[in-house]
Amino acid sequence: MYRIGSGMQFTLEYTLRDETGAVREQRLGADAVVCTPADGLLPAGLTRALAGQGSGYEATIALPPEAAFGPRMENLVFEAPQENLPAEMTLEPGSRLRAPTRNGNFSLRVIEITSRGAVLDGNHPLAGHTLYYSVRVTDVQPCTPNAPQPDKHQP
């Protein structure tokens, strides 16, 4: 039986709950995520917890913020002036913006519209939360050039 590790691709079903027990995401059946340990699709702590496991593995894995999406950082919440916001977009609380950086795009969420612009939050929506992943590994296979590409979904 193959085990999750370097050079392996695996299929994972999961239900993600926060510390209140609220379901934040589910990837079951046809929506299961196909990934590799190195692709960064899963939080690092979850990838570490799955290392060495094979098909059929089931568990509930608790991840503190540091092992999941990091602590909430208040310095990533700021007010952006109107002239720095996209004119072509109607902004409202909950809207998402992408800000270009040297390393790709940085995601920002609109928290509040103000008279001068908008309050934006650069934290991952799950930053600062202890997360509980109920997981089931449904397949583990060696990566091959003809294998399906990993799902690019971000929890």
Side-chain angles (χ1 to χ4, degrees):
M1 171 169 54
Y2 293 114
R3 302 219 172 260
I4 296 172
S6 180
M8 303 304 282
Q9 175 177 291
F10 61 99
T11 304
L12 182 71
E13 293 184 337
Y14 66 83
T15 299
L16 169 60
R17 289 181 172 81
D18 63 21
E19 59 272 301
T20 70
V23 173
R24 301 298 293 260
E25 183 176 20
Q26 280 192 311
R27 299 291 302 261
L28 304 173
D31 285 335
V33 65
V34 177
C35 53
T36 68
D39 62 19
L41 294 177
L42 301 174
L46 182 57
T47 300
R48 282 190 299 274
L50 293 171
Q53 302 302 329
S55 183
Y57 174 75
E58 292 185 47
T60 297
I61 300 167
L63 297 180
E66 298 74 24
F69 296 100
R72 182 165 172 73
M73 300 171 64
E74 291 309 316
N75 64 329
L76 294 179
V77 178
F78 60 95
E79 185 173 14
Q82 187 64 45
E83 59 269 15
N84 292 347
L85 298 170
E88 71 281 357
M89 188 174 177
T90 302
L91 298 178
E92 57 187 45
S95 298
R96 303 291 261 157
L97 304 173
R98 298 262 182 217
T101 68
R102 282 183 262 175
N103 299 325
N105 286 327
F106 186 73
S107 181
L108 299 164
R109 185 170 35 99
V110 176
I111 301 296
E112 175 185 354
I113 304 300
T114 67
S115 60
R116 297 189 316 249
V119 176
L120 305 176
D121 185 350
N123 287 287
H124 186 283
L126 296 173
H129 291 277
T130 296
L131 303 175
Y132 300 88
Y133 282 86
S134 296
V135 301
R136 185 165 74 95
V137 177
T138 61
D139 188 47
V140 181
Q141 295 294 324
C143 291
T144 63
N146 297 329
Q149 293 300 305
D151 183 349
K152 294 299 179 190
H153 174 77
Q154 290 283 340

